[in-house]
Amino acid sequence: VAGGCLSVVILGASGDLAKKKTFPAIFNLYKQGFLPNDQLQIFGYARSKMTSTELHNRLRGYAQPMKSSCILYFLLQVTYISGPYDEESGYVKLNEQISSAEESKCGTTCSTRRLFYLALPPSIYPIVSTMVRKHCMNPRGWSRVIVEKPFGKDLTSAEALSSELGKLFTEEQLYRIDHYLGKEIVQNLLVMRFANRFFVPLWNRDNIANIQIVFKEDFGTEGRGGYFDEYGIIRDIIQNHLLQVLCLVAMEKPVMLTPEHVRDEKVKVLRAVQPICDEDVVLGQYEGYKDDPTVPKDSSTPTFASIILRIKNERWDGVPFVMKAGKALDSRKAEIRVQFKDVPGDIFNCKKQGRNEFVMRLQPSEAMYMKLTVKQPGLEMKATQSELDLSYQQRYQDVVIPEAYERLILDTIRGDQQHFVRRDELRVAWEIFTPLLHRIDEGKLKVSPYKQGSRGPKEADELLNVKADYVRTEG
Ligand code: BG6
C-alpha cells in the first residue's frame, strides 16, 4: 500500500482480541508485503505494566502465524507503551512516541497515516476515543479508527455511543468492524448473485421457499461467560454477523460497487424487515452453562436462538428467513442455505428426493454446492438427488484464503469502507431486534434447555419445518 509512513496503534494491546486477531492479522499483512517495510511502526497501548520485549515474547508464544521466521524484523517495529485509559498523560506520551518515530522514519514534511484499533471493552470506547481525538490525531495526513462490537446493547445505548463517537470522528474516519464481512464466502455473495445468469432470475419469492443463515459452535462460552451473559446469542451473533449476511443475501443490486451504493442497498432491505413476533422465535440455553463461575446461577440468557425474519418487499414477501445461532451444539459450522420451491407438474416424483438447494458454507472449509435432482445412473429411469460441488480446498489449492481481520485492516488502510457497518445500518439493525431483546430481558419468552452437543431445542426444528416450510433431505 503506497502512501507514506504508517503507524498502527492497538489500544488494548494486552487483551485477547489483540493477541488472537489484531496482531496476527497485521503480521500476516506485513509478511505478504502489504505494509510498508521500512515506514511502518506499531504501538501497543494498555494498562498492564510490561516492556516491549515482554509483549514480543507474549505474541510470539501465542499465535501460530507469529511463529514464522520473519517475525524478528516485524517485532522490531512493535513498541509497547503502558498507560491508563482515562488519563491524558498516557496519550500525550503515546503521541510523542508516534510523532518522533514518524519523524525519524520519514522526516518532517512527508505525509503520514495513523490507524487506531480499539481492541477494548465498549464501556471505555468514549473515554479512549476522546483522549485519542484530543492528543493523538495526525497533523500530517489521515487518522482512522477501528471499533469492534458490541456497539451498545439496544437501540438507545447504541445511538448514545454512535452520537458520542460521531462528535469526535467523521463517518469517514470510523471503521465499525463486523468480521463476518471479511469472510471469503460472504464477500463472494454479491458476485454470485449479480454476476450469474443462473441466479439472477431465480432469486426471489417466485422460486425460493425459504432461506436459512446458520451459525453453530460446538463449544460453550469458555471463559467468556461473564461477557456473554450480559449480551446473549442474539446480540453476540444474530443482530450483527448473521444480519449482515442477510443484507447481502437479500439486498437489491447496487447501482455500482462503491461503498456508499452497497451500503445504501443494505439499509433499504433492513428497513423492509418486519417486527419480529414471539411465535417466530425459539430460544434455548445449554445445560451446564450456569456452571461457569462467571455466570449468575439464575441466568436465563439464551445461548441458542432461531428466529424467522420476514422481509416485506416485492422480492421477498412470504419467504421466511431463518436466522439460527447457537453455542455448544453438535458441530461448528456457518452456512447460508437457500431452498427452492418444488417444480410444478412434477413427473419424476421429485418431492421424494427433496428440493433444490444452494448452499454457501462460510466455515469450516469454504464451499458452495447445489443439491439437484438427476437421473440415477443405470438402466432404470429413476430420479435421485446429487450435488454440484465447489469445494475451495480442492478447486483453489494454491490460494491462501485470507483471514477476515487481515482483509478488513487492509481495507481500512486503503480507505475502503464497503465492508464496514455504516451508522444508519447499525441503527436499523438495532431497531429490528430491540423490541424482541427487551421482551427477552423481561423474561417474557420461554428459554428451553438443551443438551451440549445436540442440535439445540427440538422446538427449533418444528419452527423450521412447520413455520418456515423447510423440507429436510438426506445428506
Ligand atoms: C464473535 C463472537 O463475534 O464471533 C463469538 O463474539 C464467536 O462468540 C465468534 O465465537 C465467531 O467467529 P468465527 O469467525 O469463529 O465464526
Side-chain angles (χ1 to χ4, degrees):
V1 182
C5 190
L6 173 67
S7 304
V8 181
V9 183
I10 302 168
L11 295 127
S14 59
D16 239 31
L17 177 69
K19 277 187 302 185
K20 280 190 188 157
K21 301 290 186 189
T22 323
F23 277 112
I26 294 170
F27 173 60
N28 272 340
L29 288 173
Y30 171 82
K31 203 168 69 177
Q32 295 167 78
F34 286 112
L35 303 182
N37 222 342
D38 46 354
Q39 295 204 328
L40 170 71
Q41 51 207 5
I42 297 156
F43 296 92
Y45 186 95
R47 266 182 321 213
S48 318
K49 296 257 173 295
M50 68 178 152
T51 62
S52 295
T53 316
E54 279 166 334
L55 176 68
H56 298 172
N57 290 339
R58 271 204 202 187
L59 295 176
R60 232 193 315 238
Y62 192 78
Q64 198 53 38
M66 305 199 59
K67 298 196 195 317
S68 146
S69 53
C70 71
I71 186 77
L72 273 180
Y73 196 73
F74 174 77
L75 289 177
L76 281 178
Q77 330 295 319
V78 180
T79 308
Y80 181 74
I81 300 166
S82 152
Y85 288 123
D86 54 354
E87 283 174 26
E88 317 234 345
S89 57
Y91 298 87
V92 171
K93 186 166 139 203
L94 174 63
N95 189 52
E96 279 166 8
Q97 297 226 13
I98 303 174
S99 306
S100 87
E102 281 171 351
E103 235 176 276
S104 74
K105 290 207 172 165
C106 65
T108 49
T109 50
C110 121
S111 83
T112 56
R113 301 172 285 169
R114 293 186 184 182
L115 167 58
F116 298 91
Y117 196 122
L118 271 55
L120 294 165
S123 54
I124 55 175
Y125 280 177
I127 182 69
V128 173
S129 310
T130 307
M131 295 291 182
V132 167
R133 176 79 188 87
K134 188 158 174 208
H135 295 289
C136 305
M137 297 308 272
N138 186 359
R140 295 201 276 142
W142 57 249
S143 302
R144 294 181 185 143
V145 181
I146 298 183
V147 285
E148 179 111 15
K149 70 147 226 286
F151 306 117
K153 286 190 77 178
D154 60 6
L155 182 58
T156 313
S157 52
E159 275 295 291
L161 181 62
S162 288
S163 71
E164 277 192 77
L165 292 179
K167 281 182 211 141
L168 301 168
F169 307 111
T170 63
E171 188 61 25
E172 288 67 40
Q173 288 178 312
L174 269 178
Y175 287 70
R176 296 180 196 83
I177 273 201
D178 184 309
H179 78 281
Y180 266 59
L181 292 177
K183 291 192 188 267
E184 184 65 39
I185 296 289
V186 176
Q187 297 215 335
N188 197 0
L189 266 162
L190 294 192
V191 184
M192 288 301 294
R193 284 193 53 202
F194 299 121
N196 288 294
R197 193 67 193 235
F198 284 133
F199 290 117
V200 173
L202 297 186
W203 209 259
N204 54 43
R205 64 191 300 273
D206 297 334
N207 301 290
I208 292 176
N210 56 68
I211 297 185
Q212 287 181 65
I213 302 174
V214 179
F215 166 95
K216 289 166 107 180
E217 268 178 350
D218 55 0
F219 48 89
T221 50
E222 293 198 334
R224 293 171 73 228
Y227 151 81
F228 186 88
D229 198 71
E230 234 191 280
Y231 289 88
I233 196 77
I234 299 176
R235 293 181 176 96
D236 191 42
I237 303 287
I238 298 182
Q239 182 268 351
N240 34 69
H241 302 329
L242 300 196
L243 195 65
Q244 284 297 320
V245 174
L246 173 134
C247 287
L248 298 169
V249 170
M251 68 187 237
E252 296 301 316
K253 181 152 113 183
V255 178
M256 275 186 287
L257 270 187
T258 66
E260 297 324 319
H261 283 113
V262 171
R263 296 188 298 176
D264 286 348
E265 293 304 333
K266 288 169 72 188
V267 173
K268 264 192 227 162
V269 74
L270 285 179
R271 292 215 169 105
V273 174
Q274 295 301 286
I276 302 167
C277 38
D278 294 351
E279 303 78 63
D280 281 346
V281 180
V282 170
L283 302 175
Q285 186 188 77
Y286 66 84
E287 291 169 4
Y289 168 70
K290 284 178 282 203
D291 296 346
D292 181 330
T294 59
V295 170
K297 290 289 161 256
D298 59 348
S299 166
S300 56
T301 299
T303 59
F304 175 99
S306 185
I307 301 173
I308 301 180
L309 293 189
R310 301 177 188 275
I311 301 175
K312 198 165 174 195
N313 64 15
E314 205 165 333
R315 187 186 285 273
W316 296 119
D317 198 5
V319 180
F321 282 76
V322 182
M323 320 278 278
K324 183 158 84 179
K327 300 257 173 197
L329 295 176
D330 54 347
S331 60
R332 175 172 180 260
K333 185 160 80 174
E335 67 180 19
I336 305 156
R337 191 169 278 268
V338 180
Q339 186 169 75
F340 288 84
K341 292 186 171 174
D342 298 323
V343 175
D346 171 19
I347 55 170
F348 296 106
N349 199 8
C350 291
K351 245 198 180 122
K352 221 174 90 210
Q353 322 306 329
R355 288 171 168 170
N356 286 167
E357 277 186 21
F358 174 55
V359 184
M360 298 179 84
R361 189 166 67 226
L362 279 49
Q363 61 198 32
S365 314
E366 293 83 354
M368 290 185 281
Y369 56 94
M370 279 176 176
K371 286 174 170 252
L372 67 178
T373 304
V374 298
K375 178 185 163 300
Q376 167 96 52
L379 285 175
E380 293 195 51
M381 179 52 86
K382 222 176 122 192
T384 185
Q385 195 166 68
S386 195
E387 281 168 15
L388 281 179
D389 195 347
L390 173 62
S391 151
Y392 276 42
Q393 243 162 32
Q394 273 171 13
R395 183 69 181 79
Y396 302 115
Q397 279 170 8
D398 304 328
V399 181
V400 179
I401 296 182
E403 233 273 307
Y405 281 88
E406 270 170 51
R407 217 189 291 257
L408 296 174
I409 291 173
L410 188 59
D411 281 352
T412 310
I413 297 169
R414 289 174 168 160
D416 181 350
Q417 292 191 306
Q418 179 175 329
H419 306 293
F420 293 82
V421 183
R422 209 167 60 183
R423 181 173 169 175
D424 53 348
E425 262 183 271
L426 182 65
R427 186 189 158 89
V428 195
W430 279 117
E431 278 171 2
I432 295 171
F433 283 98
T434 296
L436 171 69
L437 286 165
H438 284 172
R439 293 199 297 278
I440 296 174
D441 293 345
E442 289 158 14
K444 292 192 175 142
L445 272 82
K446 181 175 146 208
V447 181
S448 308
Y450 62 95
K451 295 233 170 321
Q452 292 191 34
S454 71
R455 291 170 46 81
K458 62 176 187 325
E459 294 92 324
D461 280 337
E462 284 159 28
L463 183 81
L464 186 62
N465 301 338
V466 180
K467 296 206 76 179
D469 181 33
Y470 180 72
V471 178
R472 189 171 300 283
T473 51
E474 293 311 309

